[in-house]
Amino acid sequence: MDEEEFYLIDLKSKFDKIKPNTYYLSYSGGKDSHFLYWFIKEYLKRDDIKIVGINTYMEHHEILKRIIENSDIVLLPKMKPMEIKEKYGIPCFSKEQDFYIYYYQNALRKGKEPSKTIQQKIDGTYDKGFSGISKKAREYVKSGKAHNITHLCCHYLKKEPARRFEKETGLKPILGIRSGESLLRKQQYKSCFTKDRKFTPIHDLSDELLEKIIKKYDIEVPKVYDYVSRTGCMGCPYSSYKHETEKELELINKNQQKFVCNLFYESYKVLGID
């Protein structure tokens, strides 16, 4: 038995721990969630797990096509990207940094003092774990000229529609989250189940093994992955540290470029994205 088959047998044993009709697959159309789609449909031969996608209005055309074709249900967020920008702001440095920046800016907008922890994170004086935001972010935010920055984009475009669906149906999500994708995820996902019973069966799957399985079983991968390592919202500034934001902008059409550059203009300017 090779490594790939061993992993799939082990993954099947994880699925044996859930009642299929009480879960749904959260399907993004990307590499990880499509691997789970293939595993459920082709390896397990199951049709009793609903496939649920979300059209965030920010998907690459190829990814959106997969969501529409493969999902039993496609959800829509209540707020559109520009509405989120107007009310809360836009992503900029990283999700964790933007979390602190948002609550710092929000307090100042309301004429209040930021909490002690938030202030320390902004100042870089927090001495427990992650110290705070980068020097570049700190100088920009404390200059008083910073645009409205937030981590809430993903919340309103992805998490909120999913939570509404879960509340209406009582179903729990199967998430294609892998802990190796970031330090934050490594801290958050250490087993197959979260505290609220979300199912994360591939949290321990490495990039190398995933690629071997995809190659062995000829699992379809979108062509966009020939150019970028991960797919999410088109042109998201969070991909700038790998210079993948620029690559994404080259992959979308002129109208999409115009919309994305208008949406993320202020963050692109700060990050030096042309």
Side-chain angles (χ1 to χ4, degrees):
M1 183 186 301
D2 59 25
E3 183 182 18
E4 297 91 324
E5 183 63 22
F6 181 84
Y7 184 84
L8 295 178
I9 291 172
D10 183 59
L11 186 57
K12 180 181 181 301
S13 71
K14 294 175 182 177
F15 270 80
D16 289 340
K17 296 176 182 178
I18 67 168
K19 293 180 180 179
N21 60 359
T22 64
Y23 279 85
Y24 75 94
L25 175 63
S26 179
Y27 183 72
S28 70
K31 189 183 290 186
D32 296 339
S33 71
H34 191 75
F35 164 64
L36 282 173
Y37 174 85
W38 170 86
F39 183 78
I40 290 167
K41 294 295 186 182
E42 301 297 329
Y43 193 88
L44 296 181
K45 306 290 185 184
R46 302 204 73 110
D47 288 317
D48 51 356
I49 296 175
K50 284 188 181 297
I51 313 299
V52 179
I54 301 174
N55 178 4
T56 64
Y57 308 108
M58 294 292 292
E59 308 298 329
H60 286 271
H61 177 74
E62 186 182 11
I63 298 296
L64 179 59
K65 185 172 182 287
R66 282 157 68 93
I67 290 172
I68 293 170
E69 289 178 349
N70 295 328
S71 298
D72 298 310
I73 302 166
V74 178
L75 308 176
L76 289 172
K78 287 186 176 180
M79 294 182 75
K80 292 185 177 180
M82 277 298 182
E83 293 172 331
I84 296 169
K85 178 177 182 176
E86 290 171 8
K87 188 169 183 178
Y88 300 106
I90 53 175
C92 191
F93 298 102
S94 72
K95 192 171 287 187
E96 189 167 2
Q97 291 183 87
D98 289 357
F99 172 90
Y100 302 123
I101 294 169
Y102 170 75
Y103 285 105
Y104 175 78
Q105 289 183 323
N106 195 45
L108 296 184
R109 282 194 294 268
K110 293 179 178 179
K112 298 179 179 180
E113 288 290 327
S115 71
K116 182 180 178 180
T117 299
I118 293 295
Q119 187 66 61
Q120 288 177 335
K121 292 282 189 178
I122 297 298
D123 293 339
T125 58
Y126 190 76
D127 58 1
K128 299 175 182 177
F130 178 67
S131 61
I133 64 177
S134 68
K135 181 182 178 182
K136 181 177 182 177
R138 181 176 304 115
E139 290 174 352
Y140 179 62
V141 171
K142 298 192 77 173
S143 71
K145 298 178 182 178
H147 63 286
N148 290 342
I149 295 171
T150 189
H151 62 298
L152 291 171
C153 204
C154 289
H155 173 82
Y156 286 104
L157 292 181
K158 297 178 181 178
K159 293 181 180 178
E160 194 273 337
R163 286 176 184 172
R164 265 191 290 124
F165 175 77
E166 290 159 21
K167 187 175 181 181
E168 290 168 4
T169 63
L171 297 176
K172 293 285 187 182
I174 301 170
L175 302 172
I177 289 175
R178 295 189 293 124
S179 59
E181 291 178 338
S182 70
L183 181 61
L184 185 61
R185 286 190 170 185
K186 192 170 288 186
Q187 294 169 345
Q188 288 178 322
Y189 302 100
K190 298 179 180 179
S191 71
C192 292
F193 293 96
T194 63
K195 290 180 180 179
D196 53 0
R197 299 301 293 173
K198 292 175 182 176
F199 187 37
T200 56
I202 62 170
H203 74 96
D204 57 350
L205 178 57
S206 67
D207 288 340
E208 293 77 17
L209 183 52
L210 176 59
E211 292 302 326
K212 286 180 181 180
I213 295 171
I214 287 171
K215 185 176 181 179
K216 177 176 179 177
Y217 293 92
D218 194 25
I219 301 171
E220 182 189 1
V221 176
K223 291 181 180 178
V224 67
Y225 281 96
D226 291 341
Y227 305 94
V228 294
S229 60
R230 294 181 63 189
T231 57
C233 292
M234 292 184 295
C236 178
Y238 290 158
S239 296
S240 65
Y241 75 103
K242 288 185 175 181
H243 301 290
E244 291 199 344
T245 302
E246 294 92 329
K247 293 177 186 176
E248 287 188 350
L249 291 173
E250 293 176 358
L251 296 174
I252 57 181
N253 64 44
K254 293 295 182 184
N255 287 334
Q256 290 171 324
Q257 286 178 0
K258 185 177 179 181
F259 173 77
V260 168
C261 289
N262 188 29
L263 176 64
F264 296 131
Y265 172 76
E266 296 85 353
S267 292
Y268 283 1
K269 191 174 180 182
V270 175
L271 298 170
I273 297 172
D274 184 4

